[in-house]
Amino acid sequence: MQQRFRMKPIYLFVLQALACSAYAAEPDAPAAPDATAGVVAQAQVVEIFGKGQSRQVQNISRSDLVKAVPGTSPLKSLEKLPGVNFESADPFGAYEWSTRFSVRGFAQTQMGFTLDGIPLGDMSYGNNNGLHISRAISSENVGRVAVSQGAGALATASTSNLGGTVQFVTLDPSEEMGTTVAQTLGSARTERTFVRFDSGLLPTGTKFYVSGTRQRANKWKGDGAQNQDQFNAKFVQNIGEHTLSGFYNYSDRVETDYQDLSLDGVKRLGMNWDNYAPDFQRAVNAAKGIYTGGVTNADDAYYQASGLRKDSLSGLALDLKLNAAANLKTSVYHHDDQGQGHWYTPGVASSATMPISLRTSEYSIDRSGVVSDLTWDLGGHTLSAGLWYESNKHGFTRNYYAIQGNEDTNYFVSNPMSTNFKQNFDTTTTQFYVNDEIALMDGKLKLNVGFKSPDVKINAVSLVGSRAFGDIESKKNFLPQVGLNYSLNSSDELFASASQTMRAFQPGVNGPFSQTEPAFLLSTPTLKPETTVTVDFGMRFKHDALQGSVALYHSDFSDRQLQLATCAGITGCPSTFVNVGKVQTQGVEAIAVWKFAKELSWFNSFTFNDSKYKSDYRDNSYVSDASLPESDARKHMVPASGKQVVDAPRVMFSTELSYENSVWFTRVGGKYTGQRYYSYLNDAGVPSYWIGTLSAGYKLGAIGPMKDLSLQLNVSNLFNKQYFSTVGTNGFVTSDRQGTFATLLNGAPRQAFLTVTGKL
C-alpha cells in the first residue's frame, strides 16, 4: 500500500493572510448587495412557485439556504417541497452512501442535475458520469436551487432526467471587497471552518472570490470520521456587454460508513448497531464463524468500510450579447475524479492466518464537454437552440488488498493482491435541442413547443475478469415537449405541459456491462433505453397574504431496466440486466405560504403520489427467504404488477412556521414521510415517520474588527425520533418476508450545531 494521503488545507492559511491584507481596504466601486450575507440575512422573497413557467418548477433562494446548518447538502433544502423525498443517515444530508433523492417516485439515478448549466450526471455513489453536489461546491457558495418535478427544461445537459431536473446556481463574486469567516461547532465533535475572500469590483471590470472549507466530524454512532476539505474559486470579467466567467472547485472527501441494517438484525441488535471497529478481534472471530452479542451471521457487521473521493471540476463560460435580440452562451468544462470504496470483507482471506482482506471498488473519471445555447427574441417568438457534447473516460475496478491487522486504511491504497474485474468505458454524449416560446393574446398566453435529440454511445473494454465488453447506444431523434402558461390576472395563472424523456444506458457498476459477456450479448439486442411520457397541469396564485400552487400529474414509464443479482449483493458477482416492463405514476401536489404579518409566515406542502408497477417479470435475483426452494429463489415469475414502487412514499406533508425581523429569526418545521417498501412484492418495508427541525439566529452587529457578526443555532431531529431513513443502500429485493436483507440505514438522533459568522 502507498503512503497515506494527508489532507492539509494549506489554502486556509493563505486565505487568512488575504483577509488580513484586505482588512481596512476600500472598494474601488460602490458597494452592491453582498452575495455572502451572513446567516441571519434580511428576509427576501423566497420564490418557490415558478411564476411564468409552463411546467411545475420551484426555487429555493439563498435566504432560505443560509438558515440550514453550514455544510448541509443543497439537495436537503428541497425536501420540504411537494413531490420531493430526501433521505440521509447524517444530519447534513452529505453522507453519499446514504443519500437518496427522489421525485414523484423517480429515483436519484433517474433525475438530471447541473451546476451553473454544467452536468453533474446522476450524482450516483458509484461514480461514472458526474459527482455529488456536496463535492462539486461548498454549500456556502450556492446561491439558488431550482427543481422541476416533471419535465425538465429542454436545455438541461442531462440524459438521465426521466423524473425531472435539479439545477444548482452558484453565487457570483461580491462587488464589495471583504472576507467572510464562519465557524461551526456541534454534535459528534463537528468542526467546520469556512473562509471566503471577495476581491470586489476591480477597475478592470473583474471580480473574483476564493474560498476554503475544512470539516471534521465523527460518526454519530460507531467509530470513524466524516472529513472533507474543499477549495472554490470563481471570477467574472465584464467585456462591454459581454461576460466571461470561470471557476475551479476541488474536493477531498473521506467518509467512514455506517453498517447497513436489516429488519431482523435491528430486532436482535438494536437500531444503534454498527460495524465492529475499533474491535478488530471481534471482526476476525466473526469471519471465523465465532459470533457474540446477538450476532448470528457474518453479514451482521464488518470491521469497517469507507468512501474516498478526490474531485476537481473547472469551467469557463462566455456570454455574448450578439445584438439587442440575440444572446449566445457557451461553457466548456472538465471534471477529474479518483475514488475508492473500502470494505473489510470476511469473504476473502489475506492469508492462512488472516481471514479478512480489504476489498476496494476503484473509480476514475476524466470527462470534458461543451454546452452552448443561443436565444433569439423575435417579438412574438423567442427561439432557443443548443448543443451539448461530452467525452467521458471512466474506469471501474474491484481489487483485494492483504492486511496484517487493524491498520488505518482511510487513504488511497495501491498494489492489490488480486483483481476481481477491471473495466474501462469510453462514453460520448451528443444532445441537440430547439424550442420556441410563442406569446399570444397580448402576452397572456405563452406556448412552448420544442424537442431534443440525445445520442449516447458507450464502448466498454474488459481488462480483467468475466464482465461484459462491447458497444451500446442510447438514441432518440425526437423527444418532444409542449407547454402553456395562461395568466388569468396579475396574481393567478394556469400551466400545463407534456413531454417525453429518455434515460441513457449507464457505464460502470449499475449498467448493462455489469453482466457477463454472454448475458450482455443475449440481452442487448432487445434492450431499449428507459423512456417516460409525463403530463402535468395546475394553477399558481400569488396574493398579498397567500401564495402557492396546486398541480396534478401523470407519467407512463416504459422499458424499466432492472439489474438482477445472481448472488447476495455484497458478493460482487456479475448480474443480469433486463427489461421488466412499465410503471405508472399519478398524483397531486399542493404548496402554500401564508404571510400572517411582515415577520411571520407559515409554509405547508402536501404530496399524494401513486407509483405502481404495471408489469410482471421473470426474476433471476437472489431472494432472501430460506423457506423457498432453490429453483424458486433463483428463477420465477414476480407478480409485481399493481405493487407500489420501492422507496416511493404515497403521502408526504411538510410544515414550517417562521418569524424573522431585522435582528433575529426562528424557524420550526416538521415533515411526515409515509411508509416505504424495499421489496418489489411490497412484503418488506419501513414505517412512516415525523421528523422535526429548529433553527434560530441573531445579529450581533460589529464587534472589534468583525462586522455583520451573527450567531445561528440549528437542531436536527428535534424530538429525537428513531426511524429508518435510507432504504436500498444495497439495492432492492424481490421479497424479504424474513427481514434478513441488509439494505437500510437509520437516521441520526437529535443533534445541535452553533455557527458564528462575520466579515472583515
Side-chain angles (χ1 to χ4, degrees), residues 93 102 110 120 420 429 491 529 621 633 704 709 760:
S102 62
Q110 297 164 332
L120 300 178
N420 183 265
T429 300
S491 301
S621 74
L709 197 65
L760 290 171

Side-chain angles (χ1 to χ4, degrees), residues 11-185:
Y11 53 82
L12 289 180
F13 298 102
V14 176
L15 289 172
Q16 289 169 356
L18 285 171
C20 293
S21 65
Y23 177 61
E26 293 296 328
D28 295 310
D34 198 334
T36 58
V39 292
V40 198
Q42 180 66 29
Q44 304 172 17
V45 175
V46 181
E47 178 55 65
I48 56 176
F49 306 119
K51 182 176 174 60
Q53 297 285 339
S54 61
R55 57 189 181 275
Q56 179 80 310
V57 178
Q58 292 156 352
N59 297 289
I60 296 293
S61 76
R62 181 62 188 164
S63 63
D64 204 55
L65 293 171
V66 296
K67 293 178 175 62
V69 185
T72 295
S73 168
L75 273 184
K76 186 174 173 61
S77 69
L78 300 174
E79 65 181 345
K80 66 182 181 182
L81 297 179
V84 175
N85 180 39
F86 179 87
E87 302 289 349
S88 182
D90 72 316
F92 303 100
Y95 168 44
E96 291 186 36
W97 177 253
S98 70
T99 298
R100 295 295 183 275
F101 180 85
S102 62
V103 175
R104 294 180 177 178
F106 287 94
Q108 181 172 314
T109 55
Q110 297 164 332
M111 301 286 296
F113 303 91
T114 64
L115 177 68
D116 288 343
I118 289 174
L120 300 178
D122 61 12
M123 300 204 314
S124 58
Y125 181 81
N127 289 30
N128 65 76
N129 65 354
L131 72 164
H132 204 276
I133 185 61
S134 60
R135 285 182 277 129
I137 193 168
S138 293
S139 62
E140 291 88 346
N141 292 325
V142 176
R144 179 171 60 86
V145 187
V147 60
S148 174
Q149 287 96 330
L154 289 170
T156 304
S158 172
T159 56
S160 57
N161 57 325
L162 285 179
T165 60
V166 178
Q167 297 169 299
F168 304 99
V169 180
T170 63
L171 292 170
D172 275 342
S174 173
E175 295 196 355
E176 180 182 356
M177 179 183 289
T179 301
T180 301
V181 181
Q183 179 67 50
T184 301
L185 300 173

Side-chain angles (χ1 to χ4, degrees), residues 51 56 121 168 231 294 332 363 533 567 581 695 729:
K51 182 176 174 60
Q56 179 80 310
F168 304 99
F231 173 80
V332 294
Y363 312 93
V533 175
C567 60
S695 60
T729 52

Side-chain angles (χ1 to χ4, degrees), residues 47 49-53 57 485 489-493 540 542:
E47 178 55 65
F49 306 119
K51 182 176 174 60
Q53 297 285 339
V57 178
N485 180 284
N489 50 54
S490 61
S491 301
D492 307 298
E493 62 182 31
R540 300 186 185 98
K542 186 172 183 179

